[in-house]
Amino acid sequence: MKRVLLVAAVVLASCPALAEYNVYWGDVHGHTAISDGKGSLDDYFTHARDVSGLDFVIVTDHDFGNAAPWRMPKEAWSLTQEKADQYTVDGKFVAVAGYEWTSQPKYWTEVGKDTPSERLFPGPPKFYNHKNVYVPTRVDYLFSAKEPVCMSPDLLAEAVRKAGGLIHNNHPSAGPDGRDQWDYAPASSSVIVNTEMYPDTLFYQGKTYQVDMEKTVRSFLDRGGRTGFVGGTDTHEGKPAARTAVLAGQLTREAVFEALRHRRNYAISNARIVLSVKLNDHYMGEEIEIEGKPHLAVEVQGTDLIREVAIVRDGSILHSVDPGSQVAKLQYVDEGFRGESYYYVRVTQVDTDQHGNPSRAWSSPIWGKAKRFREVAGGAAEGVLFPLLHRPPRPSPPSPSSPASPAPSSGTPQAAPPDPFLSARSATVT
Ligand SMILES: [Zn+2]
Ligand SMILES: [Zn+2]
């Protein structure tokens, strides 16, 4: 078992958000011979535990497949849950039963000669893409994409919420097949918590899912969407590998769920890059109120030389450095804070995988909103916000929970600390 202890970059003993977490490595997406993969559940879990040395793994066979009328037998779902329980040993290895909600346009109508209609629902076809569903305790029933009560992301989220489970958006696509993948209400984001950044399915049997998933996910974030980032092999060879890191206090199924539910996780594409990102002492995945300026603290423990640490804000690179070392620490204050922004960090190393792609890590975003936005502007138009934020300190507001001055709190530096790399540059993310 491999664990790495992350220590907060800035320590304030009284702040509970600065508790220490372990980094646990896992894979959140993979198939067995139950659907269209190879090998048994035993093969899958033993490979994850003994060959890949994972701390946790989720198995996600399809609920429905292409070979109509194939569907996952009830017995297979029961066995999946039984095996996940058998392989889970607190403190050593966590196995989770899940499945892939496999929505397909042919459930609405005929969409082409190669995809014959299995019309179940009225109206034009929906391109919801696939979503992984996983639950902490046994449920008898699959919330499947072919059931009217679970046929849309919102309906699925409502059903899974009641079962205490979570959902991930799989292999996001910028093409027509992903047209409706983000079509769900903001409230469903508390169940549809994460999105795959980089599944290995890109290389599976010549499939051509859009490669730049980061760009696709970012467009959702730019529209105000909320999602964390995970990675999954989507292995069909029964060979799960480390693609997701969660920050959790201990290695139990409950703790892994708790981390994923709060998006306290990040995606990796290959190497096990250890990444800590905090915004004003809050962990990745959080939505916070900010007094003063946003202060990002980034720590990277790479496995090879790091060639870029990029802070992305609202769709563009805000700041990036080329450390040229295996370990990097970066402190950055966003002096141009616009009152409401999301931030995430992307790390790129010099090493590559077998396909020639560099090892990368993507932190889940952190959403920051100026505390004074609500108190001062009262929800007024954004155009009013910016001048207000730059006004001199105001008199004390009536509420003790509303600080009198916009001066930074003790945990918020007033000026940017020295940047050890001094090679900042701005660019549009590609
Ligand atoms: Zn899929
Ligand atoms: Zn899959």
Side-chain angles (χ1 to χ4, degrees), residues 262-279:
H262 291 92
R263 304 178 293 230
R264 208 170 53 246
N265 44 258
Y266 62 92
I268 56 174
S269 68
N270 183 35
R272 298 186 181 196
I273 298 168
V274 176
L275 175 60
S276 171
V277 177
K278 288 187 159 187
L279 179 63

Side-chain angles (χ1 to χ4, degrees), residues 51-74:
V51 179
S52 295
L54 299 185
D55 299 308
F56 72 96
V57 74
I58 308 178
V59 63
T60 56
D61 277 303
H62 293 282
D63 56 351
F64 283 92
N66 288 322
W70 186 89
R71 65 177 294 169
M72 185 190 290
K74 195 173 190 310

Side-chain angles (χ1 to χ4, degrees), residues 304-318:
D304 206 329
L305 298 180
I306 302 161
R307 75 178 195 205
E308 184 184 53
V309 178
I311 297 170
V312 177
R313 180 189 69 182
D314 299 336
S316 298
I317 292 180
L318 174 66

Side-chain angles (χ1 to χ4, degrees), residues 120 124 188 280 294:
L120 298 166
S188 294
N280 290 23

